Amino acid sequence: MNAQLTPPSAAAGLDAWLSYLEALHPKEIELGLERIKTVAQRLAVDPGAAKVITVAGTNGKGSTVRYLETVLRNGGYQTGVYISPHLVNYEERVRINGLELEAQQHVNAFQAVERARGDTSLTYFEFGTLAAFWLMMQAPLDVWILEVGLGGRLDAVNCLAADVGIVTSVGIDHVDFLGPDRTSIAREKAGIFRADKIAIIGEADFPPAILSELKQAGIAPLSVGEDFNYRLALDAGSWDYFGHRNVLRDLPLPHVPLPNAATAICALEQLELPVSEQAIRQGLAQAREKGRLQFQPGKPDVLIDVAHNPHAATFLATHIKQRFSDRRVYLVIGMLKDKDIQGTLAALADVVDDWYLADLSGARAASAQQLASALPASVKETDAQQFSSVKAAYQAACSAASDDQQQALVLVCGSFYTVSQIPLAE
């Protein structure tokens, strides 16, 4: 920690506090629970009677959180949600009963954490996590829904033992922190599970070695395909859920990924809070998540998704084949250089007709030239253009798609940083 760093005043505003948080700790990411547990104890973090649901996974965390929130709220419960990262504004990270909070409320929370931490140095994410907990303690909530930032076992939110732990999926990402293969990554994500609590796995191909380790630790997770399942209707206009306690038929197709809806329903079945079928149906229909399969109709139509690894890109490509198989697809993409760029582009190749490759800014950013060099051999050089910004690439793609005689779709993906630069409908 910089000993000369002085915390902002209450009147300094949210941006000043966020700058302070960024400079407070020598590393942007430093996994471990010792620091946050120390400060959480000083801050007297305690969910009280509220149930805690923690959601980990390579992909699908945000939509699972949203399903849980909308269904529980339709069931009449008071909810607090903590997610990361945000797309545009920091205030997106905390929702109380579905609503974001005012900037000053976040400042008040940061001040409380600052008073409690003493000489303990916290990362940006640790500080923000404790602030989110403090904000949730200010409201009479029934459920805290927490999204893991990175991994699970050593992630800051895991300082609280979840009543229900969920792992949505396991893919190759963040290998520098989580390990080089799916088994290593699954082990880190399954670290949110506790022997005396409910564990749910929404990944059909979960590494067997980790399942064995969980069994030895006295953890018996409920797994998709075995303990619960889902099935699209023949006309793909609705879907059915098959669980331990309920069979729900002709459910409305959600606006965010369907597999995560089944995982969320399984979690709600196990939670000791009754939720009616009507609340489930209403919650599924209402669930929306910015930047996740977000369709914006217009001239041209635009589909926005934060897919930034091969696992998510494969799901996105499947979605396009199912919903937009008759469209010419203009892809706007910018990525970070520490991601699997080649694998991500390869997963999209079958559904993309025209590639608009964009530079991102920052130390981790990949250039459009780096993206071009990673394109599959099947992509013709004339089908790919390079741009110095996401904005320029998006404008060019929209212009070309609007002029296209075919029904076209502009697809934007590759990174939260990419999606954050696109106008998003509320």
Side-chain angles (χ1 to χ4, degrees), residues 29-260:
I29 298 173
E30 186 174 3
L31 297 177
L33 298 180
E34 183 178 351
R35 295 181 304 278
I36 193 167
K37 281 185 174 181
T38 297
V39 183
Q41 186 174 18
R42 296 174 189 163
L43 198 61
V45 170
D46 184 0
K51 300 293 185 181
V52 177
I53 306 175
T54 298
V55 184
T58 303
N59 299 299
K61 293 177 293 186
S63 55
T64 302
V65 166
R66 183 67 78 170
Y67 285 128
L68 292 165
E69 177 188 29
T70 55
V71 171
L72 284 165
R73 291 192 63 236
N74 274 282
Y77 295 105
Q78 308 294 304
T79 61
V81 167
Y82 174 51
I83 64 169
S84 68
H86 58 275
L87 279 178
V88 180
N89 301 310
Y90 186 88
E91 293 94 313
E92 298 168 23
R93 295 190 177 217
V94 179
R95 296 192 296 269
I96 302 296
N97 292 321
L99 300 176
E100 296 174 9
L101 304 179
E102 298 293 331
Q104 186 58 46
Q105 290 174 278
H106 288 275
V107 169
N108 295 343
F110 291 152
Q111 285 187 299
V113 175
E114 178 65 23
R115 289 192 295 268
R117 75 176 183 85
D119 59 357
T120 301
S121 179
L122 297 171
T123 67
Y124 179 98
F125 183 72
E126 290 168 341
F127 206 115
T129 298
L130 288 168
F133 292 168
W134 186 88
L135 288 166
M136 290 185 190
M137 288 193 297
Q138 310 312 303
L141 300 178
D142 299 304
V143 185
W144 291 20
I145 308 170
L146 312 176
E147 179 183 338
V148 167
L150 178 61
R153 181 175 65 92
L154 297 176
D155 186 82
V157 302
N158 200 35
C159 70
L160 292 181
D163 296 287
V164 179
I166 300 172
V167 174
T168 58
S169 64
V170 179
I172 303 298
D173 205 1
H174 301 294
V175 294
D176 291 344
F177 295 98
L178 305 181
D181 51 50
R182 293 185 72 249
T183 298
S184 301
I185 294 170
R187 181 178 293 110
E188 292 300 314
K189 295 186 184 301
I192 65 168
F193 295 152
R194 304 292 199 276
D196 56 342
K197 303 293 184 180
I198 298 162
I200 296 172
I201 296 175
E203 167 68 73
D205 185 28
F206 203 77
I210 306 306
L211 291 175
S212 296
E213 291 179 12
L214 291 173
K215 184 178 180 180
Q216 292 173 6
I219 298 171
L222 301 174
S223 299
V224 68
E226 295 184 11
D227 303 289
F228 68 99
N229 216 333
Y230 63 97
R231 180 181 63 198
L232 268 174
L234 291 177
D235 62 358
S238 64
W239 66 288
D240 302 329
Y241 170 80
F242 306 92
H244 259 181
R245 303 176 183 175
N246 298 294
V247 175
L248 305 174
R249 297 192 181 277
D250 298 320
L251 293 169
L253 283 177
H255 298 270
V256 282
L258 174 57
N260 304 320

Side-chain angles (χ1 to χ4, degrees), residues 1-24:
M1 182 183 74
N2 185 346
Q4 305 303 313
L5 209 56
T6 302
S9 66
L14 181 57
D15 288 343
W17 272 94
L18 294 177
S19 296
Y20 174 69
L21 267 57
E22 289 172 350
L24 188 62

Side-chain angles (χ1 to χ4, degrees), residues 300 330 354 356 385 394-405 408 410:
Y330 295 76
D354 298 275
Y356 291 73
Q385 301 179 52
Y394 181 67
Q395 289 175 339
C398 288
S399 177
S402 298
D403 293 340
D404 200 318
Q405 297 303 309
V410 173

Side-chain angles (χ1 to χ4, degrees), residues 379-409:
V379 178
K380 297 178 182 178
E381 187 175 338
T382 54
D383 291 335
Q385 301 179 52
Q386 299 177 35
F387 297 86
S388 61
S389 69
V390 172
K391 182 178 180 180
Y394 181 67
Q395 289 175 339
C398 288
S399 177
S402 298
D403 293 340
D404 200 318
Q405 297 303 309
Q406 303 180 44
Q407 192 176 20
L409 177 74

